[in-house]
């Protein structure tokens, strides 16, 4: 068996691309949260607030636009992190490149769609569909790993 | 030294099993959250709510049953993700299989117990105990890595 | 190409040190949350509250000191987990040890500074600076991976 965790393994090479792309998409939510906090003047910490015209502004925890981005970010953490962790494990099982590539692609594009569905927002069940498709891709990899190592 | 990150290494093989099992347990909290949201009619997004009999239903952020599952899910993220990340690192240190296996088993079953203790719920200190046992398993691996690479 | 994911690769060895150190710093926020909950008597679950003198104490979700630690913890998850995931991928690209080491060091110390800036707290833009420096270190690794695997 040749080395699996090297750039010469096309499965691992594809995984690196989609794992990094998915994590970058997740990290983009941090910047989107900041943007919404500044746009709405809704900050969670007193030290973040620049007093304007002597008025003290209170921390805000319930701005709907900020909270929508934060829920999206947390949902990404709940789904993207498992994908990357399980994807690392999946590489060890030496799957066929075509099978692996479709899992990675389906996951990444389902999460991209999920983000648009959450932020625009699209009417349901758009967002639910994006969530479920990504979940199934991750679960499918998980089942293949468990069957091989059990 | 033979290849550590392959299925022929019994430590990595056991790690894959318990890492995937722990991540699946964590992901199950997503589905449990959905179930509680539907059961209680407590949705966080206006587009998730199906208006019934012309009544507008407001988003809900404080349903105790939904929030309990969400706290459990976040606690899993705070503990399961470190376990998997540190477990990957730990494999590089080529630990004895029996030592490694006990770390993985103790972690996984302590988190399983933690979830039941949180959701039933059991009286304290049941949940605290589940949390601490899992934490100690992860910390023990972390210390062994630091001692070996320092 | 020699084996990258072994302790004989100085890049991976350094990565293991800083990855484990960063994850331990993140996990410390759990204990800091517990400490603040006990100090302020602000618990999120009814079963966590010991009734004193027959008075029922209600769960608390808005204690400013507890919530500050929890926001810090979530911010760590949003930043430390991507660093470790991307760092694993980065190792596969076989970077120069000096380049890699500076990325790991800058990330770790920026997050350490971020935590102090959040908890003391220091006036802004201290915390924002700690956040941005860590983000840039992670993004720089991500870009190098994408350029190499694309």
């Amino acid at each position: 068996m040749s080395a699996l965790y090297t750039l010469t393994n096309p499965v691992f090479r594809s995984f690196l691309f989609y794992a990094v792309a998915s994590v970058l998409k997740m990290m983009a939510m941090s910047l989107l949260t900041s943007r919404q906090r500044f746009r709405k003047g809704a900050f969670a910490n007193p030290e973040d607030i620049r007093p304007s015209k002597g008025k003290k502004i209170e921390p805000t925890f319930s701005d709907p636009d900020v909270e929508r981005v934060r829920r999206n970010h947390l949902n990404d953490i709940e789904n993207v992190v498992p994908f990357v962790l399980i994807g690392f494990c999946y590489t060890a099982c030496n799957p066929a490149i075509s099978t692996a590539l479709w899992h990675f692609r389906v996951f990444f594009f389902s999460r991209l769609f999920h983000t648009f569905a959450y932020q625009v927002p699209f009417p349901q069940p758009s967002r639910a569909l994006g969530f479920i498709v990504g979940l199934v891709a991750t679960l499918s990899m998980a089942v293949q790993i468990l069957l091989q190592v059990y």
Side-chain angles (χ1 to χ4, degrees), chain A:
Chain A
M1 189 191 284
S2 69
L4 293 171
Y5 289 97
T6 59
L7 297 184
T8 54
N9 175 7
V11 170
F12 189 52
R13 203 177 174 104
S14 307
F15 172 69
L16 292 182
F17 181 80
Y18 285 102
V20 171
S22 300
V23 171
L24 288 177
K25 191 238 96 25
M26 178 173 86
M27 293 172 76
M29 305 316 286
S30 282
L31 304 179
L32 199 54
T33 303
S34 286
R35 180 172 160 271
Q36 290 287 34
R37 287 201 185 281
F38 276 98
R39 197 172 69 86
K40 303 291 287 283
F43 298 97
N45 297 292
E47 70 268 24
D48 300 351
I49 303 166
R50 183 193 297 256
S52 64
K53 300 167 190 161
K55 281 193 299 184
K56 195 181 173 308
I57 305 163
E58 291 295 318
T60 310
F61 302 106
S62 59
D63 180 87
D65 294 332
V66 172
E67 295 307 311
R68 179 174 286 273
V69 182
R70 292 183 70 228
R71 287 196 298 276
N72 195 159
H73 197 171
L74 192 58
N75 195 281
D76 271 355
I77 291 172
E78 292 166 5
N79 288 278
V80 171
V81 173
F83 165 75
V84 179
L85 296 177
I86 286 179
F88 267 114
C89 299
Y90 183 56
T91 302
C93 297
N94 202 14
I97 174 68
S98 59
T99 315
L101 199 49
W102 276 110
H103 280 81
F104 304 156
R105 279 176 184 152
V106 164
F107 178 84
F108 176 68
F109 289 104
S110 75
R111 294 307 300 182
L112 212 57
F113 175 77
H114 178 272
T115 303
F116 281 98
Y118 215 146
Q119 296 305 317
V120 171
F122 298 158
Q124 285 283 30
S126 307
R127 196 182 86 233
L129 204 73
F131 168 78
I132 290 167
V133 170
L135 188 72
V136 167
T138 305
L139 290 181
S140 165
M141 295 194 296
V143 168
Q144 292 172 62
I145 298 163
L146 291 181
L147 288 176
Q148 199 154 346
V149 302
Y150 187 65

PDB file of all heavy atoms in Angstrom, chain A residues 56-89:
ATOM      1  N   LYS A  56     -24.348  56.511  26.328  1.00  0.00           N
ATOM      2  CA  LYS A  56     -23.837  55.171  26.595  1.00  0.00           C
ATOM      3  C   LYS A  56     -24.711  54.181  25.826  1.00  0.00           C
ATOM      4  O   LYS A  56     -25.937  54.232  25.909  1.00  0.00           O
ATOM      5  CB  LYS A  56     -23.899  54.874  28.089  1.00  0.00           C
ATOM      6  CG  LYS A  56     -23.048  53.663  28.438  1.00  0.00           C
ATOM      7  CD  LYS A  56     -23.094  53.310  29.901  1.00  0.00           C
ATOM      8  CE  LYS A  56     -22.356  51.993  30.125  1.00  0.00           C
ATOM      9  NZ  LYS A  56     -22.815  50.912  29.244  1.00  0.00           N
ATOM     10  N   ILE A  57     -24.086  53.310  25.055  1.00  0.00           N
ATOM     11  CA  ILE A  57     -24.866  52.319  24.321  1.00  0.00           C
ATOM     12  C   ILE A  57     -24.687  50.971  25.026  1.00  0.00           C
ATOM     13  O   ILE A  57     -23.576  50.588  25.375  1.00  0.00           O
ATOM     14  CB  ILE A  57     -24.407  52.245  22.850  1.00  0.00           C
ATOM     15  CG1 ILE A  57     -24.470  53.639  22.201  1.00  0.00           C
ATOM     16  CG2 ILE A  57     -25.295  51.282  22.074  1.00  0.00           C
ATOM     17  CD1 ILE A  57     -23.673  53.746  20.930  1.00  0.00           C
ATOM     18  N   GLU A  58     -25.796  50.278  25.225  1.00  0.00           N
ATOM     19  CA  GLU A  58     -25.760  49.000  25.941  1.00  0.00           C
ATOM     20  C   GLU A  58     -25.380  47.854  24.996  1.00  0.00           C
ATOM     21  O   GLU A  58     -25.691  47.915  23.809  1.00  0.00           O
ATOM     22  CB  GLU A  58     -27.150  48.701  26.528  1.00  0.00           C
ATOM     23  CG  GLU A  58     -27.559  49.613  27.660  1.00  0.00           C
ATOM     24  CD  GLU A  58     -26.663  49.458  28.883  1.00  0.00           C
ATOM     25  OE1 GLU A  58     -26.341  48.303  29.220  1.00  0.00           O
ATOM     26  OE2 GLU A  58     -26.272  50.474  29.485  1.00  0.00           O
ATOM     27  N   PRO A  59     -24.719  46.795  25.533  1.00  0.00           N
ATOM     28  CA  PRO A  59     -24.487  45.605  24.708  1.00  0.00           C
ATOM     29  C   PRO A  59     -25.812  45.038  24.196  1.00  0.00           C
ATOM     30  O   PRO A  59     -26.843  45.144  24.866  1.00  0.00           O
ATOM     31  CB  PRO A  59     -23.826  44.628  25.677  1.00  0.00           C
ATOM     32  CG  PRO A  59     -23.212  45.475  26.736  1.00  0.00           C
ATOM     33  CD  PRO A  59     -24.118  46.658  26.866  1.00  0.00           C
ATOM     34  N   THR A  60     -25.783  44.458  22.992  1.00  0.00           N
ATOM     35  CA  THR A  60     -26.989  43.921  22.369  1.00  0.00           C
ATOM     36  C   THR A  60     -26.779  42.445  22.087  1.00  0.00           C
ATOM     37  O   THR A  60     -25.760  42.068  21.527  1.00  0.00           O
ATOM     38  CB  THR A  60     -27.254  44.641  21.030  1.00  0.00           C
ATOM     39  OG1 THR A  60     -27.198  46.035  21.248  1.00  0.00           O
ATOM     40  CG2 THR A  60     -28.603  44.261  20.455  1.00  0.00           C
ATOM     41  N   PHE A  61     -27.756  41.619  22.491  1.00  0.00           N
ATOM     42  CA  PHE A  61     -27.627  40.178  22.269  1.00  0.00           C
ATOM     43  C   PHE A  61     -28.753  39.638  21.406  1.00  0.00           C
ATOM     44  O   PHE A  61     -28.868  38.436  21.220  1.00  0.00           O
ATOM     45  CB  PHE A  61     -27.618  39.431  23.619  1.00  0.00           C
ATOM     46  CG  PHE A  61     -26.525  39.892  24.526  1.00  0.00           C
ATOM     47  CD1 PHE A  61     -26.791  40.681  25.633  1.00  0.00           C
ATOM     48  CD2 PHE A  61     -25.209  39.556  24.250  1.00  0.00           C
ATOM     49  CE1 PHE A  61     -25.776  41.114  26.466  1.00  0.00           C
ATOM     50  CE2 PHE A  61     -24.183  39.985  25.081  1.00  0.00           C
ATOM     51  CZ  PHE A  61     -24.467  40.763  26.195  1.00  0.00           C
ATOM     52  N   SER A  62     -29.617  40.515  20.904  1.00  0.00           N
ATOM     53  CA  SER A  62     -30.814  39.997  20.249  1.00  0.00           C
ATOM     54  C   SER A  62     -31.075  40.643  18.896  1.00  0.00           C
ATOM     55  O   SER A  62     -32.201  40.609  18.416  1.00  0.00           O
ATOM     56  CB  SER A  62     -32.014  40.211  21.179  1.00  0.00           C
ATOM     57  OG  SER A  62     -32.143  41.602  21.451  1.00  0.00           O
ATOM     58  N   ASP A  63     -30.047  41.240  18.262  1.00  0.00           N
ATOM     59  CA  ASP A  63     -30.281  41.802  16.928  1.00  0.00           C
ATOM     60  C   ASP A  63     -30.556  40.654  15.953  1.00  0.00           C
ATOM     61  O   ASP A  63     -29.735  39.731  15.833  1.00  0.00           O
ATOM     62  CB  ASP A  63     -29.061  42.595  16.464  1.00  0.00           C
ATOM     63  CG  ASP A  63     -29.299  43.185  15.091  1.00  0.00           C
ATOM     64  OD1 ASP A  63     -29.845  44.289  15.017  1.00  0.00           O
ATOM     65  OD2 ASP A  63     -28.970  42.523  14.087  1.00  0.00           O
ATOM     66  N   PRO A  64     -31.698  40.660  15.243  1.00  0.00           N
ATOM     67  CA  PRO A  64     -32.047  39.492  14.417  1.00  0.00           C
ATOM     68  C   PRO A  64     -31.030  39.205  13.304  1.00  0.00           C
ATOM     69  O   PRO A  64     -30.771  38.035  12.999  1.00  0.00           O
ATOM     70  CB  PRO A  64     -33.428  39.839  13.847  1.00  0.00           C
ATOM     71  CG  PRO A  64     -33.657  41.287  14.132  1.00  0.00           C
ATOM     72  CD  PRO A  64     -32.768  41.672  15.257  1.00  0.00           C
ATOM     73  N   ASP A  65     -30.425  40.243  12.694  1.00  0.00           N
ATOM     74  CA  ASP A  65     -29.467  40.003  11.604  1.00  0.00           C
ATOM     75  C   ASP A  65     -28.154  39.408  12.120  1.00  0.00           C
ATOM     76  O   ASP A  65     -27.581  38.517  11.499  1.00  0.00           O
ATOM     77  CB  ASP A  65     -29.187  41.308  10.843  1.00  0.00           C
ATOM     78  CG  ASP A  65     -30.432  41.800  10.121  1.00  0.00           C
ATOM     79  OD1 ASP A  65     -31.273  40.949   9.757  1.00  0.00           O
ATOM     80  OD2 ASP A  65     -30.580  43.018   9.936  1.00  0.00           O
ATOM     81  N   VAL A  66     -27.691  39.932  13.275  1.00  0.00           N
ATOM     82  CA  VAL A  66     -26.469  39.384  13.875  1.00  0.00           C
ATOM     83  C   VAL A  66     -26.703  37.945  14.302  1.00  0.00           C
ATOM     84  O   VAL A  66     -25.886  37.053  14.024  1.00  0.00           O
ATOM     85  CB  VAL A  66     -26.013  40.258  15.080  1.00  0.00           C
ATOM     86  CG1 VAL A  66     -24.876  39.584  15.826  1.00  0.00           C
ATOM     87  CG2 VAL A  66     -25.616  41.657  14.624  1.00  0.00           C
ATOM     88  N   GLU A  67     -27.841  37.692  14.957  1.00  0.00           N
ATOM     89  CA  GLU A  67     -28.116  36.348  15.474  1.00  0.00           C
ATOM     90  C   GLU A  67     -28.299  35.336  14.348  1.00  0.00           C
ATOM     91  O   GLU A  67     -27.918  34.166  14.486  1.00  0.00           O
ATOM     92  CB  GLU A  67     -29.351  36.363  16.393  1.00  0.00           C
ATOM     93  CG  GLU A  67     -29.161  37.175  17.669  1.00  0.00           C
ATOM     94  CD  GLU A  67     -27.918  36.786  18.464  1.00  0.00           C
ATOM     95  OE1 GLU A  67     -27.724  35.576  18.689  1.00  0.00           O
ATOM     96  OE2 GLU A  67     -27.117  37.681  18.822  1.00  0.00           O
ATOM     97  N   ARG A  68     -28.831  35.778  13.215  1.00  0.00           N
ATOM     98  CA  ARG A  68     -28.986  34.887  12.059  1.00  0.00           C
ATOM     99  C   ARG A  68     -27.611  34.413  11.560  1.00  0.00           C
ATOM    100  O   ARG A  68     -27.411  33.228  11.300  1.00  0.00           O
ATOM    101  CB  ARG A  68     -29.745  35.600  10.938  1.00  0.00           C
ATOM    102  CG  ARG A  68     -29.945  34.786   9.673  1.00  0.00           C
ATOM    103  CD  ARG A  68     -30.822  35.512   8.661  1.00  0.00           C
ATOM    104  NE  ARG A  68     -32.222  35.493   9.063  1.00  0.00           N
ATOM    105  CZ  ARG A  68     -33.080  34.510   8.766  1.00  0.00           C
ATOM    106  NH1 ARG A  68     -32.684  33.485   8.035  1.00  0.00           N
ATOM    107  NH2 ARG A  68     -34.323  34.553   9.186  1.00  0.00           N
ATOM    108  N   VAL A  69     -26.656  35.329  11.451  1.00  0.00           N
ATOM    109  CA  VAL A  69     -25.298  34.946  11.033  1.00  0.00           C
ATOM    110  C   VAL A  69     -24.665  34.024  12.065  1.00  0.00           C
ATOM    111  O   VAL A  69     -24.005  33.044  11.711  1.00  0.00           O
ATOM    112  CB  VAL A  69     -24.399  36.184  10.797  1.00  0.00           C
ATOM    113  CG1 VAL A  69     -23.020  35.760  10.322  1.00  0.00           C
ATOM    114  CG2 VAL A  69     -25.022  37.123   9.787  1.00  0.00           C
ATOM    115  N   ARG A  70     -24.872  34.328  13.353  1.00  0.00           N
ATOM    116  CA  ARG A  70     -24.267  33.508  14.403  1.00  0.00           C
ATOM    117  C   ARG A  70     -24.851  32.089  14.412  1.00  0.00           C
ATOM    118  O   ARG A  70     -24.129  31.113  14.644  1.00  0.00           O
ATOM    119  CB  ARG A  70     -24.442  34.157  15.777  1.00  0.00           C
ATOM    120  CG  ARG A  70     -23.612  35.446  15.900  1.00  0.00           C
ATOM    121  CD  ARG A  70     -23.738  36.041  17.278  1.00  0.00           C
ATOM    122  NE  ARG A  70     -23.053  35.202  18.242  1.00  0.00           N
ATOM    123  CZ  ARG A  70     -23.561  34.794  19.394  1.00  0.00           C
ATOM    124  NH1 ARG A  70     -24.791  35.146  19.732  1.00  0.00           N
ATOM    125  NH2 ARG A  70     -22.878  34.030  20.199  1.00  0.00           N
ATOM    126  N   ARG A  71     -26.148  31.960  14.173  1.00  0.00           N
ATOM    127  CA  ARG A  71     -26.742  30.611  14.104  1.00  0.00           C
ATOM    128  C   ARG A  71     -26.168  29.855  12.909  1.00  0.00           C
ATOM    129  O   ARG A  71     -25.897  28.663  12.983  1.00  0.00           O
ATOM    130  CB  ARG A  71     -28.269  30.694  13.983  1.00  0.00           C
ATOM    131  CG  ARG A  71     -28.970  31.101  15.261  1.00  0.00           C
ATOM    132  CD  ARG A  71     -30.467  30.782  15.211  1.00  0.00           C
ATOM    133  NE  ARG A  71     -31.169  31.511  14.148  1.00  0.00           N
ATOM    134  CZ  ARG A  71     -31.633  32.757  14.262  1.00  0.00           C
ATOM    135  NH1 ARG A  71     -31.474  33.432  15.374  1.00  0.00           N
ATOM    136  NH2 ARG A  71     -32.262  33.326  13.257  1.00  0.00           N
ATOM    137  N   ASN A  72     -25.990  30.580  11.786  1.00  0.00           N
ATOM    138  CA  ASN A  72     -25.407  29.977  10.583  1.00  0.00           C
ATOM    139  C   ASN A  72     -23.974  29.488  10.871  1.00  0.00           C
ATOM    140  O   ASN A  72     -23.578  28.380  10.485  1.00  0.00           O
ATOM    141  CB  ASN A  72     -25.404  31.042   9.474  1.00  0.00           C
ATOM    142  CG  ASN A  72     -25.173  30.482   8.087  1.00  0.00           C
ATOM    143  OD1 ASN A  72     -25.517  31.111   7.103  1.00  0.00           O
ATOM    144  ND2 ASN A  72     -24.547  29.313   7.963  1.00  0.00           N
ATOM    145  N   HIS A  73     -23.207  30.328  11.587  1.00  0.00           N
ATOM    146  CA  HIS A  73     -21.824  29.985  11.928  1.00  0.00           C
ATOM    147  C   HIS A  73     -21.784  28.727  12.803  1.00  0.00           C
ATOM    148  O   HIS A  73     -21.001  27.802  12.546  1.00  0.00           O
ATOM    149  CB  HIS A  73     -21.185  31.178  12.652  1.00  0.00           C
ATOM    150  CG  HIS A  73     -19.683  31.121  12.703  1.00  0.00           C
ATOM    151  ND1 HIS A  73     -18.918  32.168  13.131  1.00  0.00           N
ATOM    152  CD2 HIS A  73     -18.811  30.139  12.378  1.00  0.00           C
ATOM    153  CE1 HIS A  73     -17.634  31.838  13.058  1.00  0.00           C
ATOM    154  NE2 HIS A  73     -17.548  30.619  12.619  1.00  0.00           N
ATOM    155  N   LEU A  74     -22.642  28.693  13.826  1.00  0.00           N
ATOM    156  CA  LEU A  74     -22.670  27.541  14.725  1.00  0.00           C
ATOM    157  C   LEU A  74     -23.096  26.281  13.960  1.00  0.00           C
ATOM    158  O   LEU A  74     -22.543  25.194  14.169  1.00  0.00           O
ATOM    159  CB  LEU A  74     -23.625  27.804  15.896  1.00  0.00           C
ATOM    160  CG  LEU A  74     -23.552  26.805  17.060  1.00  0.00           C
ATOM    161  CD1 LEU A  74     -22.152  26.732  17.648  1.00  0.00           C
ATOM    162  CD2 LEU A  74     -24.539  27.196  18.162  1.00  0.00           C
ATOM    163  N   ASN A  75     -24.052  26.430  13.042  1.00  0.00           N
ATOM    164  CA  ASN A  75     -24.480  25.285  12.240  1.00  0.00           C
ATOM    165  C   ASN A  75     -23.331  24.778  11.368  1.00  0.00           C
ATOM    166  O   ASN A  75     -23.163  23.570  11.178  1.00  0.00           O
ATOM    167  CB  ASN A  75     -25.686  25.666  11.385  1.00  0.00           C
ATOM    168  CG  ASN A  75     -26.379  24.448  10.814  1.00  0.00           C
ATOM    169  OD1 ASN A  75     -25.905  23.888   9.834  1.00  0.00           O
ATOM    170  ND2 ASN A  75     -27.458  23.999  11.432  1.00  0.00           N
ATOM    171  N   ASP A  76     -22.513  25.705  10.858  1.00  0.00           N
ATOM    172  CA  ASP A  76     -21.322  25.305  10.109  1.00  0.00           C
ATOM    173  C   ASP A  76     -20.362  24.504  10.983  1.00  0.00           C
ATOM    174  O   ASP A  76     -19.839  23.470  10.553  1.00  0.00           O
ATOM    175  CB  ASP A  76     -20.586  26.541   9.571  1.00  0.00           C
ATOM    176  CG  ASP A  76     -21.078  26.958   8.200  1.00  0.00           C
ATOM    177  OD1 ASP A  76     -21.918  26.246   7.622  1.00  0.00           O
ATOM    178  OD2 ASP A  76     -20.622  28.000   7.700  1.00  0.00           O
ATOM    179  N   ILE A  77     -20.132  25.009  12.203  1.00  0.00           N
ATOM    180  CA  ILE A  77     -19.228  24.291  13.118  1.00  0.00           C
ATOM    181  C   ILE A  77     -19.756  22.889  13.366  1.00  0.00           C
ATOM    182  O   ILE A  77     -19.012  21.913  13.356  1.00  0.00           O
ATOM    183  CB  ILE A  77     -19.077  25.078  14.443  1.00  0.00           C
ATOM    184  CG1 ILE A  77     -18.301  26.377  14.182  1.00  0.00           C
ATOM    185  CG2 ILE A  77     -18.384  24.236  15.501  1.00  0.00           C
ATOM    186  CD1 ILE A  77     -18.259  27.312  15.372  1.00  0.00           C
ATOM    187  N   GLU A  78     -21.081  22.776  13.555  1.00  0.00           N
ATOM    188  CA  GLU A  78     -21.704  21.477  13.841  1.00  0.00           C
ATOM    189  C   GLU A  78     -21.630  20.516  12.663  1.00  0.00           C
ATOM    190  O   GLU A  78     -21.838  19.315  12.835  1.00  0.00           O
ATOM    191  CB  GLU A  78     -23.178  21.685  14.231  1.00  0.00           C
ATOM    192  CG  GLU A  78     -23.362  22.400  15.567  1.00  0.00           C
ATOM    193  CD  GLU A  78     -24.783  22.898  15.797  1.00  0.00           C
ATOM    194  OE1 GLU A  78     -25.661  22.615  14.955  1.00  0.00           O
ATOM    195  OE2 GLU A  78     -25.019  23.564  16.818  1.00  0.00           O
ATOM    196  N   ASN A  79     -21.373  21.038  11.453  1.00  0.00           N
ATOM    197  CA  ASN A  79     -21.399  20.178  10.273  1.00  0.00           C
ATOM    198  C   ASN A  79     -20.069  20.123   9.525  1.00  0.00           C
ATOM    199  O   ASN A  79     -19.680  19.058   9.057  1.00  0.00           O
ATOM    200  CB  ASN A  79     -22.513  20.638   9.325  1.00  0.00           C
ATOM    201  CG  ASN A  79     -23.885  20.307   9.876  1.00  0.00           C
ATOM    202  OD1 ASN A  79     -24.348  19.187   9.740  1.00  0.00           O
ATOM    203  ND2 ASN A  79     -24.511  21.254  10.559  1.00  0.00           N
ATOM    204  N   VAL A  80     -19.384  21.261   9.394  1.00  0.00           N
ATOM    205  CA  VAL A  80     -18.125  21.287   8.640  1.00  0.00           C
ATOM    206  C   VAL A  80     -17.012  20.576   9.418  1.00  0.00           C
ATOM    207  O   VAL A  80     -16.233  19.817   8.838  1.00  0.00           O
ATOM    208  CB  VAL A  80     -17.725  22.736   8.284  1.00  0.00           C
ATOM    209  CG1 VAL A  80     -16.325  22.793   7.706  1.00  0.00           C
ATOM    210  CG2 VAL A  80     -18.729  23.335   7.309  1.00  0.00           C
ATOM    211  N   VAL A  81     -16.943  20.818  10.738  1.00  0.00           N
ATOM    212  CA  VAL A  81     -15.898  20.192  11.537  1.00  0.00           C
ATOM    213  C   VAL A  81     -16.029  18.663  11.489  1.00  0.00           C
ATOM    214  O   VAL A  81     -15.037  17.976  11.214  1.00  0.00           O
ATOM    215  CB  VAL A  81     -15.872  20.766  12.977  1.00  0.00           C
ATOM    216  CG1 VAL A  81     -14.904  20.000  13.849  1.00  0.00           C
ATOM    217  CG2 VAL A  81     -15.513  22.251  12.952  1.00  0.00           C
ATOM    218  N   PRO A  82     -17.240  18.081  11.717  1.00  0.00           N
ATOM    219  CA  PRO A  82     -17.377  16.631  11.544  1.00  0.00           C
ATOM    220  C   PRO A  82     -16.965  16.148  10.150  1.00  0.00           C
ATOM    221  O   PRO A  82     -16.313  15.105  10.021  1.00  0.00           O
ATOM    222  CB  PRO A  82     -18.872  16.383  11.782  1.00  0.00           C
ATOM    223  CG  PRO A  82     -19.265  17.451  12.724  1.00  0.00           C
ATOM    224  CD  PRO A  82     -18.462  18.658  12.304  1.00  0.00           C
ATOM    225  N   PHE A  83     -17.309  16.897   9.102  1.00  0.00           N
ATOM    226  CA  PHE A  83     -16.924  16.500   7.738  1.00  0.00           C
ATOM    227  C   PHE A  83     -15.409  16.384   7.609  1.00  0.00           C
ATOM    228  O   PHE A  83     -14.889  15.406   7.069  1.00  0.00           O
ATOM    229  CB  PHE A  83     -17.463  17.508   6.717  1.00  0.00           C
ATOM    230  CG  PHE A  83     -16.836  17.380   5.354  1.00  0.00           C
ATOM    231  CD1 PHE A  83     -17.187  16.336   4.504  1.00  0.00           C
ATOM    232  CD2 PHE A  83     -15.861  18.283   4.918  1.00  0.00           C
ATOM    233  CE1 PHE A  83     -16.593  16.201   3.246  1.00  0.00           C
ATOM    234  CE2 PHE A  83     -15.270  18.152   3.671  1.00  0.00           C
ATOM    235  CZ  PHE A  83     -15.633  17.111   2.834  1.00  0.00           C
ATOM    236  N   VAL A  84     -14.686  17.391   8.115  1.00  0.00           N
ATOM    237  CA  VAL A  84     -13.224  17.386   7.967  1.00  0.00           C
ATOM    238  C   VAL A  84     -12.613  16.268   8.816  1.00  0.00           C
ATOM    239  O   VAL A  84     -11.737  15.534   8.346  1.00  0.00           O
ATOM    240  CB  VAL A  84     -12.624  18.771   8.308  1.00  0.00           C
ATOM    241  CG1 VAL A  84     -11.105  18.736   8.180  1.00  0.00           C
ATOM    242  CG2 VAL A  84     -13.201  19.845   7.403  1.00  0.00           C
ATOM    243  N   LEU A  85     -13.088  16.104  10.052  1.00  0.00           N
ATOM    244  CA  LEU A  85     -12.562  15.050  10.925  1.00  0.00           C
ATOM    245  C   LEU A  85     -12.814  13.674  10.310  1.00  0.00           C
ATOM    246  O   LEU A  85     -11.914  12.826  10.249  1.00  0.00           O
ATOM    247  CB  LEU A  85     -13.206  15.131  12.316  1.00  0.00           C
ATOM    248  CG  LEU A  85     -12.911  16.393  13.135  1.00  0.00           C
ATOM    249  CD1 LEU A  85     -13.672  16.360  14.453  1.00  0.00           C
ATOM    250  CD2 LEU A  85     -11.416  16.556  13.390  1.00  0.00           C
ATOM    251  N   ILE A  86     -14.036  13.452   9.846  1.00  0.00           N
ATOM    252  CA  ILE A  86     -14.386  12.143   9.275  1.00  0.00           C
ATOM    253  C   ILE A  86     -13.696  11.971   7.923  1.00  0.00           C
ATOM    254  O   ILE A  86     -13.284  10.863   7.565  1.00  0.00           O
ATOM    255  CB  ILE A  86     -15.924  11.995   9.211  1.00  0.00           C
ATOM    256  CG1 ILE A  86     -16.454  11.748  10.637  1.00  0.00           C
ATOM    257  CG2 ILE A  86     -16.345  10.866   8.265  1.00  0.00           C
ATOM    258  CD1 ILE A  86     -17.943  11.613  10.760  1.00  0.00           C
ATOM    259  N   GLY A  87     -13.500  13.057   7.173  1.00  0.00           N
ATOM    260  CA  GLY A  87     -12.789  12.980   5.892  1.00  0.00           C
ATOM    261  C   GLY A  87     -11.339  12.527   6.058  1.00  0.00           C
ATOM    262  O   GLY A  87     -10.833  11.739   5.253  1.00  0.00           O
ATOM    263  N   PHE A  88     -10.677  13.021   7.121  1.00  0.00           N
ATOM    264  CA  PHE A  88      -9.321  12.547   7.414  1.00  0.00           C
ATOM    265  C   PHE A  88      -9.325  11.031   7.647  1.00  0.00           C
ATOM    266  O   PHE A  88      -8.464  10.310   7.139  1.00  0.00           O
ATOM    267  CB  PHE A  88      -8.766  13.231   8.680  1.00  0.00           C
ATOM    268  CG  PHE A  88      -7.957  14.466   8.405  1.00  0.00           C
ATOM    269  CD1 PHE A  88      -8.402  15.714   8.823  1.00  0.00           C
ATOM    270  CD2 PHE A  88      -6.737  14.398   7.740  1.00  0.00           C
ATOM    271  CE1 PHE A  88      -7.672  16.861   8.579  1.00  0.00           C
ATOM    272  CE2 PHE A  88      -5.991  15.546   7.499  1.00  0.00           C
ATOM    273  CZ  PHE A  88      -6.459  16.780   7.910  1.00  0.00           C
ATOM    274  N   CYS A  89     -10.294  10.570   8.440  1.00  0.00           N
ATOM    275  CA  CYS A  89     -10.406   9.127   8.729  1.00  0.00           C
ATOM    276  C   CYS A  89     -10.714   8.342   7.452  1.00  0.00           C
ATOM    277  O   CYS A  89     -10.163   7.257   7.229  1.00  0.00           O
ATOM    278  CB  CYS A  89     -11.517   8.879   9.743  1.00  0.00           C
ATOM    279  SG  CYS A  89     -11.259   9.681  11.337  1.00  0.00           S
TER     280      CYS A  89
END
